[in-house]
Structure formats: C-alpha cells, structure tokens
Amino acid sequence: MKKIITLKDALTHELKGLYDSERKLQKYLRRHNKTVLSKDLRNALTAYLENTQNRMNKLQWIFKYLDEKFTARTNPCISAIIKDSEEMVKRTVTEPLRDAVLTACIQRSLHYNISVYGTCRAFARELRMHEIEEILKEILNFEKGLDHQLSRL
C-alpha cells in the first residue's frame, strides 16, 4: 500500500475509496430497488442509480487529471455500513417498515459519502485544483439533494 506523504496522496486515497463506495452502493441499491413499496422511494433510488455511472466517470476523469494510475481500493467503511444495513433490512418483518429502514440505511451511506466528498473537495481547494473542486462540488450537491429528498419521504 502506497504511503500517504502529501495532501495529493490523501486526496487520491480518499477518491479511490469513494469509487469503491459508489460501486458497492450501486450493487446494494439495485438489489433493493426491486423490493421497495413506495413509488417515491423507488423513483429516488432509480435516479441515484442512473447517475452512478456519471459519478464514477467523473472520478475516473479526476484520476487521469491527477496523473494517477487507477487502482481500486477496498473501502472498509462502506462495506461495514452496507453489511449493517443488510442485517437490519433482513430483520425487518413488515414491508412498509422495511421501506423506512431501507431509507435510513441508504441515508447512512449517503452521509458517509457526503463527508468524504466534502473532505476531497476541501483537499482539492487547498491544492488549488479548481477543476477537481468543481466536479466534487457537483457530486456533493447531487448526494446532498438525494439525502434531502429521502428525508422528506
């Protein structure tokens, strides 16, 4: 594992974790999107899933911009969040309650992503990488928008 010596190294490390997070969340949400009862929740998840590839492409562009070889990094934080969420959803006995529990679990993962995207944006700003900062701002706004939408369900 590469040592983190500079702020750019820290940024790259976090971005690789975010890429893994997006992949894992995509898989998790696809699995559960088919089982939700709420049309509003299903629409929100569908919109998120449709935008996932866009976010992943933006992250890949950032790696090229940073002149970093893209290699995946397993993100233990999102793995733990998803594992805990899966357990909670499995233990939920009624379908309407499952939608509420699933919404809470999705928000938990979104809050994690929001915090890391925010950190990466701050790193990019400090490094004066304005293009990267703007891309991360766009992604961050999308994540926050979905979180707000889920809070209203």
Side-chain angles (χ1 to χ4, degrees):
M1 180 175 277
K2 183 179 175 183
K3 291 187 182 208
I4 299 173
I5 300 169
T6 66
L7 190 57
K8 182 183 173 194
D9 294 340
L11 173 63
T12 302
H13 178 82
E14 293 290 6
L15 290 169
K16 288 179 179 182
L18 279 169
Y19 191 86
D20 186 53
S21 178
E22 293 288 0
R23 273 193 348 223
K24 287 177 178 170
L25 281 173
Q26 182 180 40
K27 184 177 177 181
Y28 175 74
L29 295 178
R30 275 192 181 136
R31 187 169 48 249
H32 288 289
N33 196 28
K34 299 169 189 164
T35 65
V36 296
L37 294 178
S38 165
K39 184 178 178 183
D40 291 336
L41 178 56
R42 187 176 304 111
N43 289 341
L45 296 183
T46 299
Y48 187 82
L49 286 167
E50 288 172 354
N51 189 271
T52 299
Q53 191 58 52
N54 182 41
R55 291 187 308 281
M56 292 171 78
N57 289 341
K58 287 178 180 184
L59 290 172
Q60 289 172 354
W61 182 90
I62 291 172
F63 291 119
K64 286 180 186 174
Y65 183 92
L66 293 172
D67 199 27
E68 285 288 331
K69 181 180 176 192
F70 177 74
T71 52
R73 173 179 82 83
T74 299
N75 185 330
C77 295
I78 203 66
S79 297
I81 290 169
I82 290 173
K83 182 180 177 186
D84 185 55
S85 297
E86 286 286 11
E87 182 62 33
M88 196 170 170
V89 169
K90 282 180 192 174
R91 292 180 14 215
T92 306
V93 294
T94 65
E95 290 181 352
L97 180 58
R98 188 176 60 231
D99 277 9
V101 167
L102 183 59
T103 300
C105 292
I106 293 165
Q107 283 188 288
R108 186 178 310 131
S109 63
L110 282 174
H111 294 168
Y112 171 78
N113 277 1
I114 288 167
S115 70
V116 181
Y117 276 118
T119 297
C120 289
R121 182 178 174 214
F123 288 173
R125 183 182 319 117
E126 184 66 26
L127 292 165
R128 299 195 184 341
M129 296 178 173
H130 302 295
E131 288 180 80
I132 292 174
E133 180 186 358
E134 282 302 310
I135 289 170
L136 294 171
K137 179 182 174 184
E138 288 173 24
I139 295 172
L140 192 55
N141 288 340
F142 180 82
E143 299 270 332
K144 286 179 179 180
L146 179 60
D147 180 53
H148 182 71
Q149 185 180 0
L150 291 174
S151 291
R152 293 187 318 230
L153 294 180

